[in-house]
Each structure stands twice: as structure tokens, then as C-alpha cells.
């Protein structure tokens, strides 16, 4: 089974590193800020799923994608870091912080570097037959 990528709290890591801590390994590379590294993950992966730990809807999205033969990158987010991740994803998709209706919610699925949506959008695209062509365009499927 594929292992999920845990969210690293780079703000806390920076603070503890500057205070003499040894958590420097969780900092992003020099010259790359935390927003750029999440956006780099989105742009470098054909399919990436940002999911809450132990969320049944996130599990369904992962199972649906695996059922199609897609091996998505999974970015598990715990409750303590959820707001930070939502803010980073909002910056990536260009949403300002004024309203909650347009902010990304989990699961957040990115296909080909663009937000695809959550469970409803993925299931709707699957039922209408639009999911497989979109996955092929992104390079996640090659059959």
C-alpha cells in the first residue's frame, strides 16, 4: 500500500531551528518557501490528493482513483495543520481569504496541476465519463 506524505509544520520547524532545535530536516530547501514547495508538489504530480487523516470521503476518493489504475500522491493533513494547508491551497488556486464557500475543502484533488475538486466533482466526472479522459490528459493513465 502507498504511504501518505505527512504535512510538515515548517513555521514551527523554523522557529525551533532558530531556537537551537534540530528539526531543520523538515524545513523546505533554501530559497524555497513553504507555499512554493506545496505548489511544486501540485505541479510535479499528475494527481495529488490532499486529505484529512481518517476521513471516509477522502478514503472513497483514493479508492476510486486506485480503481482506475491511478497511483495518486496522497498528502495527509492532521487537524492541527489543517488551516495552514487550506491557506496554502487557497494561494495556489488564487482564492482570497474573504469567504469560506470558495476555499478548498478536503479531499482536494488536483489533476494536471489544477484543482479538480472534491468527492462530488470526482464522482460526478466518473459517472459522466469525464474522469478517465481528464486523467489521461494529465498523464496519470496511459491505457
Amino acid at each position: 500500500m502507498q504511504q501518505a506524505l505527512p504535512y510538515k509544520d515548517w513555521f514551527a520547524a523554523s522557529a525551533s531551528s532558530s531556537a537551537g532545535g534540530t528539526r531543520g530536516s523538515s524545513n523546505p530547501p533554501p530559497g524555497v518557501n513553504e507555499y512554493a514547495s506545496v505548489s511544486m508538489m501540485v505541479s510535479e504530480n499528475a494527481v495529488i490528493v490532499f486529505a484529512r487523516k481518517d476521513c471516509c470521503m477522502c478514503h472513497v476518493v483514493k479508492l476510486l482513483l486506485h480503481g482506475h489504475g491511478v497511483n495518486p500522491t496522497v498528502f495527509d493533513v492532521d487537524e492541527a495543520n489543517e488551516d495552514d494547508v487550506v491557506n496554502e491551497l487557497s494561494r495556489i488556486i488564487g482564492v482570497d481569504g474573504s469567504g469560506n464557500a470558495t476555499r478548498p475543502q478536503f479531499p482536494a484533488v488536483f489533476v494536471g496541476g489544477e484543482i479538480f475538486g472534491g468527492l462530488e466533482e470526482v464522482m460526478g466526472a466518473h459517472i459522466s465519463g469525464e474522469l478517465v479522459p481528464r486523467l489521461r490528459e494529465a498523464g496519470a493513465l496511459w491505457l
Side-chain angles (χ1 to χ4, degrees):
M1 182 151 171
Q2 182 178 352
Q3 208 173 20
L5 301 170
Y7 175 73
K8 303 281 187 198
D9 191 353
W10 289 308
F11 298 115
S14 298
S16 66
S17 294
S18 62
T22 58
R23 292 185 52 194
S25 63
S26 64
N27 285 327
V32 177
N33 67 22
E34 60 275 0
Y35 303 114
S37 59
V38 171
S39 106
M40 193 171 13
M41 284 180 54
V42 168
S43 65
E44 288 179 352
N45 292 292
V47 179
I48 185 166
V49 178
F50 289 88
R52 271 191 201 115
K53 288 186 177 191
D54 302 325
C55 172
C56 62
M57 293 184 297
C58 298
H59 184 69
V60 168
V61 166
K62 291 184 259 186
L63 283 177
L64 178 64
L65 292 171
H66 281 289
H68 281 293
V70 176
N71 193 14
T73 302
V74 179
F75 194 89
D76 276 340
V77 181
D78 34 352
E79 288 182 32
N81 298 319
E82 187 173 326
D83 288 335
D84 293 333
V85 174
V86 169
N87 290 335
E88 291 173 24
L89 293 177
S90 296
R91 287 182 189 216
I92 291 170
I93 62 175
V95 174
D96 60 0
S98 60
N100 288 336
T102 57
R103 293 183 59 156
Q105 297 178 351
F106 298 114
V109 179
F110 285 79
V111 176
E114 298 176 359
I115 184 78
F116 190 80
L119 178 62
E120 284 187 28
E121 289 82 2
V122 173
M123 288 297 276
H126 169 64
I127 291 169
S128 68
E130 298 171 8
L131 182 61
V132 170
R134 187 79 184 269
L135 293 171
R136 282 190 187 136
E137 286 175 19
L141 286 177
W142 26 143
L143 294 177

